[in-house]
Amino acid sequence: MIEINEANTLLRNDVKKLGNILGEILVHHGGVDLLNKVESIREKTKSLRQHHDQETYNALKEEIATLEPPTRQQVIRAFSIYFHLVNIAEQNHRIRRQRQYQLNEEGVSQPFSLERAVSAVKELEPEDEVMQKVLNDLSIELIITAHPTEATKRTVLETQKRISTILQEFDNQQLTKKERRRLEDSLFNEVTALWQTDELRHRKPTVLDEVKNGLHYFNQTLFEVIPEVHQELEVQLDEQFPNHKWSVPNFLHFGSWIGGDRDGNPNVTPEVTWETLKLQRRLVLKKYKESLVDLMKRFSQTTTRVQISDELLQSVQADEANYLEDGEEWPIETELYRRKFQVILKRIRAVGKENKAAYQNAEELLADLNLIKESAEQHQPANRTLKTLRKLIRQVQLFGFHLATLDIRNHSGEHEAAITEILRAVQITNDYASLTEEEKLTILQDVLRDPRPLLLLKEDYSKETQEVIKVFDMIKQAHREFGSRSIEVYLVSMTQSSSDLLEVLLLAKEAGIYRLHADGTVDSGLHVAPLLETVDDLVAGPRIMKTLFEMDVYRNHLSERGNHQEIMLGYSDGSKDGGTLTANWKLFKAQQEIHDMAKDYQVRLKFFHGRGGSLGRGGGPLNRSILSQPAETLGDGVKITEQGEVLSSRYLLEDIAYRNLEQAASALLEASASSQIQTKKGHSRKEAWEEAMEEASKHSLKKYQSLVFGDQDFLTYFKQATPLNELGALNIGSRPMSRKGSQRFEDLRAIPWVFAWTQSRQMIPAWYAAGTGLSAFANESEENLALLREMYNNWPFFHSTINNLQMALMKADLKTAKEYMNLVEDQEIADRIFGDISEEYIRTKEILLKISESEELLDHSPNIQESVHRRNPYVDPLNFLQVDLISKMRAEENPSDELMTEVLLTISGVAAGLVNTG
């Protein structure tokens, strides 16, 4: 039995308030009949959740089947809009809870706050030098991507943000009646606007559309919030360790794949990447100009009142002579700070133009800002910092003139094809691609040791090879124009051998990014990182990297990159190939093995976790993601993708963005400190735990592959029992759903794979076969079950794994999923495969409750538990409608646009209802 959480009374009031407004809007636009129809369907689905009654079920099916346009579309939109409103209310309640913690008496800090993390580290009693090393080693890089199953348009997001702001204002206890009426009117108008807005995109977004969507979050929240997280850590260190002057490095960075990820997306050309870099620079310069204008207003000090440093005075005089035209100087001579800001603004506005006044790089801007800070601090009390100026300095350090580092990614096969053609043209080998790995490595090392170039005129190569060469030329040019931080990493998708990385190094050499000088010294301006995606690739990972670490040419490259190697781990394809339990265990083991091996070669590793927003692709809260990694790997930093579908829920609102990043920073700080200080509070692991995972993983893999690869009808079931084929029309991303337009399972991207299963409420990528694996181990003896419970209570990796499985089962719903069996043409196939899925669901639920010693799923997370139960009666109608509409659409040779629109609306609505969807 699910208990009502009394702490959520205010949330329920918000949901009720928004629901009442939506009801009023439904009556206005569709009459009382529309509201009654929506309520009738909701009551029936709610009743069926409490007790399955065949008569009610038949009545619901009949009511849905007989819905006609335009009422049918209005009913779909009513449930869909409701979820958008619930999502807003829940986010607003998160902000409310955060404020309640901050208003509490001292000594009560919020879990995963920096205050609590620093307090926990203090209990470890670190020496000052050790503590500073922990801080110096902190590194979190979050990479936004454009794989969005984020089906929400930016116009809708902006309306949602305004609704959230109004809800927050309602919490003000000092509101007058007049102010409350004004807020009620504003709230009604915004919800009305949401109802009257077309939530579907009518064309696929271009890559640059996706770039602008990503930049929206930098503009709205990230530019301000990221330095504030750094400032909060400084405050907590000063308060809790007052006897030492701490230096907090720039440990929290955002990067992007949007505009740089070429793998399987022919729309990402070198020209598009270049335009992306220009858009990023344009935004960051705009933000700097806004901050500088604000500072200029604040720094009104005059030399008749304060002493200005000689260095600043000399700088102003020289700059005005060098960069300003007559009449451009600040008019009041004694306002020296404003005179300096006048010059800085002129130089910022000239960046990217042919103008001698332009800053050549962000370091020049930093030097000017530090001159102002050092001078101003002379007439400022020592215990009062210049927070606004220090914030801008931190922003320039973090964002430079590039805003976000852009990763470049491409498939290993593209590089191999280009290298084959290049080597054939200079008669080194006629068919490089057909050589053995040993032969490839020999040739590549020889060529990399030779300073002479290989390339002929570009027109001598095929169009495909020319395009590959142009990418590397563009990177070289970007380093000159936007700075070396603009593009730092080149990722190689589907890395299966050491030669895959050397091929990229060779292409970098031809563009002058990697240079071998006559005296044998090397310059290398680009990290080359493998992406290990499949289960087989993860197993091969240590061998691939060991081979490279033993090569002098690769070690020379690493030496120039600070003996730093990045390795990306793909969560999606491994899960698709081997199931979630096996994939997560193989990922954990691969990190351990590669980390231990790299240590022998004095190479520092940063693992890049390619996690999706959904559970089936490694999703979950950032802080839990960090804590579930091997503790010994965190000291060199962590890099994680932030997928398109989670950006709005995490970064649309400033308070939520701050809380999300604070949680991640606090988790990493505490875990890194525990690991480095080597106390019992570190994440120790027992050998027996790893042996248990190994055995459970083997059983799980066998079960998973027996269905996905062993059942010849499985692919037919998947395509027919989910809205896979309808997803392509949703216009949610610029990438194709499968590589090369193939219909093969191997070429289907993991994103539509997960999204389709989620829509049908089966969600098998997030849980299937885990129950078999865990049960097989637990059933061997009572001691084994006790061991699994011990692992759950003491091992963050296993704890996170079990909790994510609980979340997946909670969001999956086999009663609703059973409806999708009606879409499968052969009912024998439907009955057999769905029967297997149902049995595995029951098996998985039973073992998860035993391990966690819970009565119900998610008993440990009552807020999430209540949220899922609040949503289910409203998601169910959308699923019922989706099945009915897909059935109608597939029965027609040329379905109408209206019918397709209605299907897409149900897809969008279910996505909003289940939140972390794809």
Side-chain angles (χ1 to χ4, degrees):
M1 182 72 183
I2 305 300
E3 295 182 7
I4 295 297
N5 186 352
E6 291 302 327
N8 289 339
T9 302
L10 291 173
L11 169 59
R12 286 192 289 277
N13 290 343
D14 282 349
V15 172
K16 185 177 180 181
K17 182 187 299 179
L18 292 167
N20 288 341
I21 291 173
L22 180 59
E24 194 176 335
I25 291 167
L26 293 181
V27 171
H28 177 73
H29 284 82
V32 177
D33 288 347
L34 174 59
L35 179 62
N36 289 341
K37 181 62 68 176
V38 169
E39 281 299 301
S40 172
I41 292 172
R42 185 185 70 84
E43 285 298 330
K44 288 183 177 68
T45 53
K46 190 174 181 180
S47 171
L48 287 170
R49 282 213 158 259
Q50 294 165 347
H51 172 70
H52 186 77
D53 173 72
Q54 192 62 39
E55 187 177 336
T56 305
Y57 174 78
N58 291 340
L60 174 65
K61 295 277 285 185
E62 175 67 18
E63 191 160 10
I64 284 173
T66 54
L67 280 173
E68 294 287 343
T71 303
R72 184 167 62 202
Q73 187 172 135
Q74 290 179 311
V75 168
I76 294 167
R77 295 191 68 239
F79 286 107
S80 182
I81 298 287
Y82 173 80
F83 285 126
H84 288 300
L85 296 174
V86 170
N87 291 343
I88 296 166
E90 289 185 348
Q91 288 212 323
N92 185 58
H93 195 59
R94 264 191 86 188
I95 296 169
R96 185 184 285 136
R97 290 206 315 268
Q98 184 180 347
R99 289 184 57 80
Q100 286 170 348
Y101 270 106
Q102 292 167 352
L103 291 168
N104 275 339
E105 297 176 10
E106 286 189 21
V108 182
S109 55
Q110 189 171 13
F112 290 104
S113 64
L114 283 167
E115 180 184 358
R116 184 173 291 192
V118 173
S119 177
V121 174
K122 187 178 180 181
E123 290 178 11
L124 302 176
E125 300 180 353
E127 296 178 1
D128 289 348
E129 300 79 24
V130 175
M131 184 64 193
Q132 187 59 60
K133 184 179 185 306
V134 169
L135 294 173
N136 293 343
D137 289 346
L138 282 182
S139 175
I140 309 173
E141 228 179 318
L142 301 173
I143 309 298
I144 64 171
T145 76
H147 297 201
T149 46
E150 162 62 87
T152 315
K153 286 166 61 178
R154 198 162 82 199
T155 302
V156 174
L157 292 175
E158 288 166 352
T159 306
Q160 290 174 358
K161 185 172 183 177
R162 290 192 295 272
I163 292 171
S164 176
T165 301
I166 294 167
L167 284 179
Q168 289 176 52
E169 290 182 38
F170 270 114
D171 283 348
N172 182 358
Q173 299 297 312
Q174 305 299 316
L175 283 175
T176 64
K177 285 184 179 179
K178 180 181 176 182
E179 289 169 334
R180 189 168 289 276
R181 271 199 308 272
R182 177 183 58 77
L183 288 177
E184 285 168 352
D185 288 344
S186 296
L187 186 61
F188 185 88
N189 291 338
E190 293 296 348
V191 177
T192 301
L194 195 62
W195 174 261
Q196 294 172 348
T197 299
D198 188 348
E199 57 267 75
L200 293 179
R201 295 187 178 98
H202 292 283
R203 64 171 179 84
K204 273 191 174 293
T206 66
V207 177
L208 291 178
D209 288 334
E210 292 174 330
V211 169
K212 290 168 187 172
N213 287 339
L215 291 180
H216 180 71
Y217 298 100
F218 284 93
N219 189 36
Q220 291 292 313
T221 59
L222 295 176
F223 187 77
E224 300 297 330
V225 164
I226 294 172
E228 287 169 5
V229 174
H230 289 83
Q231 286 183 341
E232 174 64 9
L233 181 54
E234 287 176 332
V235 167
Q236 291 304 326
L237 287 167
D238 288 342
E239 287 184 359
Q240 300 191 48
F241 292 89
N243 299 322
H244 188 82
K245 184 70 175 171
W246 300 104
S247 172
V248 174
N250 301 306
F251 66 90
L252 177 57
H253 294 271
F254 265 74
S256 177
W257 273 15
I258 313 177
D261 182 10
R262 298 175 55 78
D263 181 23
N265 192 345
N267 303 307
V268 181
T269 62
E271 293 77 17
V272 164
T273 303
W274 187 260
E275 188 60 32
T276 299
L277 293 167
K278 284 169 64 178
L279 288 170
Q280 291 185 176
R281 181 172 66 184
R282 188 181 306 160
L283 175 59
V284 78
L285 293 178
K286 177 178 87 76
K287 303 300 281 188
Y288 291 155
K289 282 180 272 190
E290 291 169 359
S291 297
L292 287 163
V293 168
D294 177 58
L295 282 168
M296 197 171 181
K297 292 174 184 175
R298 295 168 185 264
F299 275 72
S300 57
Q301 295 94 333
T302 170
T303 52
T304 62
R305 295 279 185 269
V306 296
Q307 181 72 37
I308 305 295
S309 72
D310 291 339
E311 291 83 1
L312 181 61
L313 177 58
Q314 292 164 13
S315 166
V316 170
Q317 291 170 342
D319 285 353
E320 285 178 338
N322 289 332
Y323 304 122
L324 299 186
E325 304 293 333
D326 287 342
E328 289 183 335
E329 302 92 344
W330 183 253
I332 304 172
E333 187 177 354
T334 58
E335 291 181 353
L336 210 73
Y337 291 119
R338 286 179 166 175
R339 287 170 62 188
K340 183 64 176 178
F341 280 123
Q342 184 83 339
V343 175
I344 293 174
L345 279 165
K346 168 78 180 284
R347 299 192 68 190
I348 277 282
R349 290 177 179 129
V351 171
K353 300 171 185 172
E354 293 293 329
N355 189 322
K356 70 166 189 174
Y359 283 114
Q360 296 305 300
N361 50 58
E363 286 68 34
E364 290 184 357
L365 171 59
L366 269 177
D368 277 348
L369 294 174
N370 278 314
L371 264 181
I372 295 172
K373 180 177 81 75
E374 288 158 12
S375 176
E377 283 176 345
Q378 293 177 12
H379 49 78
Q380 183 83 357
N383 63 339
R384 298 290 180 180
T385 59
L386 299 158
K387 284 200 170 180
T388 307
L389 177 57
R390 286 165 62 90
K391 182 177 180 179
L392 177 58
I393 288 171
R394 179 77 77 174
Q395 286 166 325
V396 176
Q397 291 169 342
L398 288 164
F399 301 111
F401 286 167
H402 63 288
L403 183 67
T405 297
L406 193 64
D407 284 353
I408 305 296
R409 181 173 77 135
N410 206 352
H411 195 282
S412 59
E414 300 283 328
H415 310 131
E416 184 182 73
I419 293 292
T420 298
E421 192 173 349
I422 290 167
L423 294 179
R424 182 187 300 126
V426 291
Q427 300 180 359
I428 288 178
T429 180
N430 194 47
D431 190 6
Y432 167 83
S434 68
L435 299 178
T436 65
E437 175 66 5
E438 290 74 15
E439 290 169 333
K440 287 179 181 177
L441 291 176
T442 299
I443 289 174
L444 291 169
Q445 288 179 86
D446 287 345
V447 175
L448 284 166
R449 290 190 187 105
D450 188 338
R452 293 173 297 178
L454 291 176
L455 288 182
L456 308 175
L457 294 173
K458 286 192 178 63
E459 54 265 29
D460 293 331
Y461 302 109
S462 65
K463 183 184 174 185
E464 292 77 14
T465 296
Q466 286 184 47
E467 196 71 8
V468 170
I469 293 168
K470 277 170 65 179
V471 171
F472 287 88
D473 289 342
M474 179 274 301
I475 295 171
K476 178 67 175 176
Q477 191 179 350
H479 286 172
R480 284 194 295 263
E481 179 70 19
F482 305 102
S484 60
R485 287 168 61 197
S486 61
I487 297 174
E488 291 188 319
V489 180
Y490 194 106
L491 288 149
V492 185
S493 292
M494 212 54 74
T495 296
Q496 296 176 325
S497 59
S498 306
S499 61
D500 292 332
L501 270 66
L502 287 190
E503 288 163 6
V504 172
L505 205 56
L506 177 52
L507 290 163
K509 171 178 173 278
E510 294 306 307
I513 304 166
Y514 173 90
R515 295 182 64 195
L516 178 64
H517 299 287
D519 61 0
T521 58
V522 163
D523 292 329
S524 191
L526 194 66
H527 289 295
V528 182
L531 170 48
L532 306 175
E533 297 176 81
T534 67
V535 171
D536 289 343
D537 294 343
L538 290 169
V539 172
R543 173 183 52 78
I544 291 170
M545 298 316 300
K546 188 173 191 292
T547 301
L548 290 165
F549 292 163
E550 290 182 345
M551 291 180 185
D552 62 332
V553 291
Y554 198 78
R555 287 312 300 263
N556 290 340
H557 151 72
L558 281 181
S559 179
E560 279 299 299
R561 303 301 298 167
N563 282 317
H564 177 100
Q565 175 67 55
E566 186 171 303
I567 295 175
M568 184 172 182
L569 305 169
Y571 283 67
S572 302
D573 284 295
S575 179
K576 178 169 155 264
D577 294 341
T580 186
L581 191 71
T582 298
N584 278 291
W585 177 236
K586 295 294 184 189
L587 284 159
F588 190 93
K589 277 182 64 181
Q591 289 178 74
Q592 280 182 298
E593 292 172 16
I594 298 173
H595 178 270
D596 292 345
M597 180 269 297
K599 236 171 127 180
D600 295 338
Y601 293 90
Q602 287 80 52
V603 174
R604 291 169 62 91
L605 287 182
K606 177 183 279 188
F607 286 107
F608 180 6
H609 302 275
R611 306 173 76 99
S614 66
L615 297 168
R617 294 174 52 227
L622 264 179
N623 53 322
R624 304 289 180 192
S625 300
I626 290 168
L627 290 177
S628 64
Q629 308 310 325
E632 62 268 29
T633 67
L634 298 176
D636 294 330
V638 63
K639 187 172 175 180
I640 303 175
T641 49
E642 285 286 65
Q643 302 282 355
E645 71 264 30
V646 303
L647 292 180
S648 62
S649 63
R650 291 182 180 175
Y651 302 113
L652 182 66
L653 303 176
E654 197 164 308
D655 289 313
I656 296 291
Y658 177 87
R659 179 67 183 135
N660 189 57
L661 297 178
E662 181 189 38
Q663 286 179 326
S666 63
L668 184 61
L669 173 61
E670 197 171 339
S672 297
S674 296
S675 178
Q676 288 198 38
I677 299 167
Q678 296 180 332
T679 71
K680 291 179 181 178
K681 296 190 179 185
H683 296 322
S684 56
R685 300 185 292 276
K686 293 182 180 178
E687 196 173 318
W689 297 353
E690 298 193 5
E691 290 171 356
M693 272 306 303
E694 190 66 33
E695 186 174 338
S697 171
K698 286 177 183 174
H699 289 294
S700 180
L701 178 64
K702 184 177 179 182
K703 172 66 177 173
Y704 180 86
Q705 293 190 335
S706 71
L707 174 66
V708 175
F709 299 107
D711 191 315
Q712 63 180 6
D713 297 316
F714 175 77
L715 203 53
T716 300
Y717 176 86
F718 168 55
K719 289 179 177 179
Q720 294 180 6
T722 72
L724 175 72
N725 295 324
E726 289 72 27
L727 287 177
L730 193 50
N731 293 329
I732 53 178
S734 66
R735 290 170 102 204
M737 285 209 308
S738 63
R739 293 177 175 91
K740 303 171 186 174
S742 165
Q743 294 298 308
R744 298 190 316 148
F745 177 79
E746 291 82 357
D747 292 323
L748 176 69
R749 294 194 182 281
I751 295 164
W753 160 255
V754 172
F755 195 54
W757 284 117
T758 304
Q759 286 284 314
S760 69
R761 306 297 296 280
Q762 297 173 74
M763 294 188 76
I764 73 166
W767 63 268
Y768 184 82
T772 290
L774 295 167
S775 299
F777 179 77
N779 293 340
E780 288 176 7
S781 67
E782 288 184 14
E783 290 79 9
N784 280 9
L785 178 57
L787 181 65
L788 292 175
R789 286 172 173 166
E790 179 188 325
M791 291 159 62
Y792 178 72
N793 291 321
N794 297 285
W795 189 11
F797 162 75
F798 192 70
H799 188 86
S800 177
T801 300
I802 296 301
N803 286 351
N804 282 344
L805 288 168
Q806 288 194 58
M807 172 76 85
L809 291 190
M810 192 78 175
K811 291 197 171 188
D813 192 281
L814 295 196
K815 284 183 180 176
T816 306
K818 194 173 183 180
E819 294 301 309
Y820 287 81
M821 288 175 61
N822 298 322
L823 298 174
V824 181
E825 294 169 11
D826 188 328
Q827 280 304 297
E828 187 278 324
I829 294 174
D831 291 340
R832 185 181 77 253
I833 294 179
F834 186 77
D836 176 81
I837 292 170
S838 300
E839 288 173 11
E840 183 64 15
Y841 181 94
I842 294 166
R843 184 182 299 115
T844 306
K845 182 178 179 179
E846 286 176 354
I847 189 61
L848 293 182
L849 293 178
K850 284 180 182 178
I851 291 170
S852 62
E853 297 179 273
S854 305
E855 290 185 17
E856 295 286 346
L857 295 170
L858 294 184
D859 273 351
H860 63 280
S861 297
N863 288 332
I864 299 175
Q865 191 184 58
E866 185 179 334
S867 173
V868 175
H869 280 274
R870 184 187 304 117
R871 290 161 182 274
N872 273 336
Y874 296 86
V875 183
D876 293 347
L878 289 169
N879 286 118
F880 276 88
L881 281 158
Q882 187 177 100
V883 170
D884 181 68
L885 292 167
I886 289 175
S887 181
K888 286 182 168 76
M889 197 173 82
R890 291 179 182 175
E892 295 182 17
E893 194 170 329
N894 295 302
S896 67
D897 289 344
E898 185 174 38
L899 194 55
M900 173 59 84
T901 295
E902 289 172 350
V903 171
L904 299 183
L905 284 169
T906 65
I907 290 172
S908 180
V910 171
L914 297 178
V915 189
N916 47 0
T917 53

